[in-house]
Amino acid sequence: MTSPDTEFIRIMGADDTAGAGTASVPKPPAKALPTVLPILGLSDIVIFPGMVAPLLVDTAQSIRLIDDVVEGDRLLGLVLQKRPDIDTPMPEDLWQHGCAARVLKMLKFPDNTVRVLVEGLWRIRITEYETQTPYLRAKIEVLKDVLQESVEMTALARNGQRLFQEIIKLTPALSDQVKIAALNTDAPGPLTDLIGGNLNLTLEDRQRLLETNNVQERLERLKPLMERELEVLTLSTKIQNDVTATMAKSQRDFFLREQIRAIQRELGETDPSVTEANNLRELIEKNGLPEEVQKIAFKELERLQQMAPSVAEYAITRNYLDWLIYLPWSKSTKDTLDIKTAGRILDQEHFGLGKVKDRLLEYIAVIKLKQNLKGPILCLVGPPGVGKTSLGKSVADALGRKFVRIALGGLRDEAEIRGHRRTYVGAMPGRIIQSIRRAESNNPVILLDEVDKVGSDYRGDPSAALLEVLDPQQNSTFTDHYLDVAFDLSRVLFITTANWLDPIHPALRDRMEVISLPSYTATEKLQIAKRYLVPRQLEEHGLQRRLVKFPDATLRKVIQDYTHEAGVRQLEREIAALSRKAARQIVSKNGQPSKVVIGESDLTDYLGQPQFVSDAAEKITEVGIAMGLAWTPVGGEILFIEATRMPGKGALLLTGSLGDVMKESAQTALSYLRSQSKTLNIDLSDFDKNDIHIHVPAGATPKDGPSAGSTIVVALASLLTRQLVRSDLSMTGEISLRGRVLRVGGIKEKVLAAARSGIKQVILPDQNRPDWMDVPEEVRNRMKVHFVKHISELVQLALKPK
């Protein structure tokens, strides 16, 4: 007699194969059981009271027993065989204790086998076998449960119920009927039988439980068995979960490898190299690498597993895998797309710079409408100290992105951008990929500082390497020499900074959107000092704002007399010097610190004599001197041009480190004046007997460009007509032989330089009218401008009448 297969269970029906529970027919009392029952040997199952189970009967003797039982009262005794391989067991082959049962259903099959569904009723003990033919019949004794109510019994029952419920949760194979029965069985006796019939126990353990009619002893016997089973199930579930969590896209070999790994981890038997390889494999799958990169990473991992750690190639491959794994291929930061918040952040950290802020806010607005927008390439051009670098950090804060700064000044090696090939010793990726990994995001703000200072030599031209990085149409497949796989840079917001555009490679300049940052006016410098510089320096020097005061008049005098710059770096250094003086003054006083107010009269004691005197203070008192305007990478400057005559042979002498273009402007100016001598009332009768010498002060500084042409022609006109040039006027513009005054660049910086120097009037080419509107309104309101088309107009405005 054996337990049947699943086919019989389906034939019997789900309700009949509960495995445990109660039958629809009431359980007969123990007294109603006959004293003699037919005995059926079981080879692989132990039946407990209350248990419903299907059985397979395949021997002639047992089939006859079933037929007689079904025709009679349907009662029989079920006893476990000591040896399961015996087809016709004798009394000595059976255990003494068994279970009285009732046949609920019977089915006969064409293969001469019988399936029966039985229900366990009572524990029995066989006292004597009466007959052995045609089947075993024996006298039985019913063993009732011995139950002693006590606190210990209650505790054991509750603990058993709890343990069994946890086992049920971890055993999906148990039927719903078992789960329902477990929830509704409170009596200790039936509970132990329910647990014994469904717990994964050996036949010997089940038989011992069946032989024990003392309920407390059964509970005590079940407790360690259930705890062991629960531990095994918990561990099995943990191993299975560990394996299942990592095999979504894995094949059979990976499944086996993970199982071995989980088992080794629980046993504490781990190989360091295997552990490292498994950790790398987990990271490759978890970090969201693109499919192509993941294939390369797995291939390199296989190579790594075949190498000994002592081999030099091992460290190279291991380092390469680290770069592939830890790059943020799919990790990005969420953009802050609130334009008002972004605008507030930009205004808090920078004063003015309206065009730059507008462009950045426009970018944020477009991102909000089109999520996959490629990052623009912005180039901030302006003199030193106007906030180009700090503006990049503010942009990152406004967008809620990571910020990385890469200094390009003095960079000469192309490998610094593209990386070194792995064949070289000590090879590593270029600065772009390094910055991406350091930012841990694939959409940071990367500031390429001082892009105009990039050089080139025999190692290559970094500017050429930057062409791919800074091209929105190409950088989505940027390939670093070290990685040798494409990385998408299209989501990165690149911001470059430069002092001037001329040194930048033309093709690189064409890829960037240029935004000019002008010099600050005196009023802007005052506001910057009050809002940012003074509070920052007071904090850095440990001073309280209520104790140290910088009046506006003091700051204006510092700006005018102690700084002469387009930005505010020198101004901040001067404020830092004043803060140190104030700190010393506070500390040197005894008792409670008193308030320190730094007035204009204190500046000479604290900072020394004024360093800069307004050039406009130099009144032009001699002929042949004119004041021009020049543009430099550090901002605009005013430029004095001096001309004089001396006995000679009509030669033109030029000094002051002038470039070829500026020398040609001087030749053009002189030729025009000679051609227009009658109109301008210039006496040329002794021209061949005198030389003309033109000099531009600050001879150590190279100077070039066509914009000094108008100033040179005015200086020569002053010299030849013996008329003075107006002291409050400066000019700029290129000239032609026909007398035209032509357009020049850098108007904004030049006019700001004139304003810093106290100039009241400027003369500009008529073609530069649109550029005048770029000059800050504050400067336009306090400065008079003259637009000229011809040198005749220029000379008439610039020269004082005799």
Side-chain angles (χ1 to χ4, degrees), residues 539-609:
E539 181 180 356
E540 290 183 1
H541 290 83
L543 299 171
Q544 298 179 14
R545 299 185 66 174
R546 62 182 180 84
L547 295 179
V548 180
K549 296 294 182 182
F550 290 84
D552 289 359
T554 302
L555 293 174
R556 287 194 188 95
K557 189 169 182 62
V558 172
I559 293 168
Q560 181 177 353
D561 294 349
Y562 292 88
T563 65
H564 190 71
E565 58 179 347
V568 292
R569 284 194 181 132
Q570 182 62 31
L571 175 59
E572 185 168 14
R573 283 191 285 268
E574 299 297 341
I575 293 173
L578 294 174
S579 299
R580 291 193 296 272
K581 300 293 184 183
R584 180 178 177 182
Q585 185 176 344
I586 290 173
V587 173
S588 62
K589 291 183 179 181
N590 297 324
Q592 186 70 21
S594 58
K595 187 174 181 180
V596 176
V597 179
I598 300 176
E600 293 181 74
S601 59
D602 300 323
L603 294 180
T604 304
D605 296 333
Y606 289 161
L607 301 179
Q609 294 298 321

Side-chain angles (χ1 to χ4, degrees), residues 637-665:
E637 295 286 346
I638 67 169
L639 194 70
F640 282 93
I641 293 181
E642 303 171 350
T644 188
R645 296 180 71 179
M646 53 194 171
K649 298 180 180 180
L652 176 64
L653 304 178
L654 301 169
T655 58
S657 297
L658 307 184
D660 291 340
V661 176
M662 200 165 181
K663 290 178 181 179
E664 291 173 357
S665 295

Side-chain angles (χ1 to χ4, degrees), residues 252-379:
R252 181 177 177 276
D253 56 341
F254 182 67
F255 168 73
L256 295 174
R257 191 181 298 112
E258 286 297 317
Q259 278 194 326
I260 292 171
R261 176 177 168 232
I263 293 171
Q264 285 180 337
R265 186 171 61 247
E266 294 299 331
L267 295 176
E269 300 174 357
T270 54
D271 182 0
S273 60
V274 174
T275 302
E276 183 181 33
N278 288 334
N279 289 338
L280 290 173
R281 191 181 301 276
E282 272 190 8
L283 291 171
I284 291 171
E285 295 179 345
K286 184 176 67 175
N287 285 6
L289 276 64
E291 184 178 353
E292 179 185 355
V293 179
Q294 193 175 67
K295 288 180 181 178
I296 295 174
F298 278 130
K299 184 178 178 181
E300 292 295 324
L301 180 58
E302 289 176 4
R303 291 184 60 233
L304 186 72
Q305 289 178 289
Q306 296 170 4
M307 298 179 194
S310 57
V311 179
E313 185 72 15
Y314 185 91
I316 296 173
T317 305
R318 180 70 173 81
N319 190 45
Y320 178 65
L321 276 172
D322 276 347
W323 278 101
L324 286 181
I325 290 171
Y326 290 107
L327 275 176
W329 300 94
S330 58
K331 183 180 179 182
S332 59
T333 53
K334 187 177 180 180
D335 288 334
T336 302
L337 301 179
D338 188 345
I339 294 182
K340 291 184 179 179
T341 302
R344 186 170 64 253
I345 292 174
L346 291 173
D347 289 338
Q348 286 175 352
E349 299 181 2
H350 288 82
F351 180 79
L353 306 179
K355 285 188 176 181
V356 185
K357 293 177 181 177
D358 288 344
R359 178 63 184 88
L360 296 171
L361 294 177
E362 290 166 4
Y363 172 66
I364 295 173
V366 176
I367 287 182
K368 193 169 184 179
L369 298 175
K370 190 175 189 298
Q371 296 293 333
N372 58 347
L373 177 70
K374 292 183 178 180
I377 314 297
L378 305 180
C379 181

Side-chain angles (χ1 to χ4, degrees), residues 346-354 357 386 520-521 523-528 531-532:
L346 291 173
D347 289 338
Q348 286 175 352
E349 299 181 2
H350 288 82
F351 180 79
L353 306 179
K357 293 177 181 177
V386 295
Y520 290 123
T521 64
T523 302
E524 289 174 333
K525 288 182 180 181
L526 176 63
Q527 293 300 322
I528 292 170
R531 297 185 187 188
Y532 308 106

Side-chain angles (χ1 to χ4, degrees), residues 58-59 109 205 266 349 362 402 437 489:
D58 55 359
T59 63
F109 285 80
D205 288 336
E266 294 299 331
E349 299 181 2
E362 290 166 4
K402 302 288 185 67
R437 177 175 174 178
L489 297 178

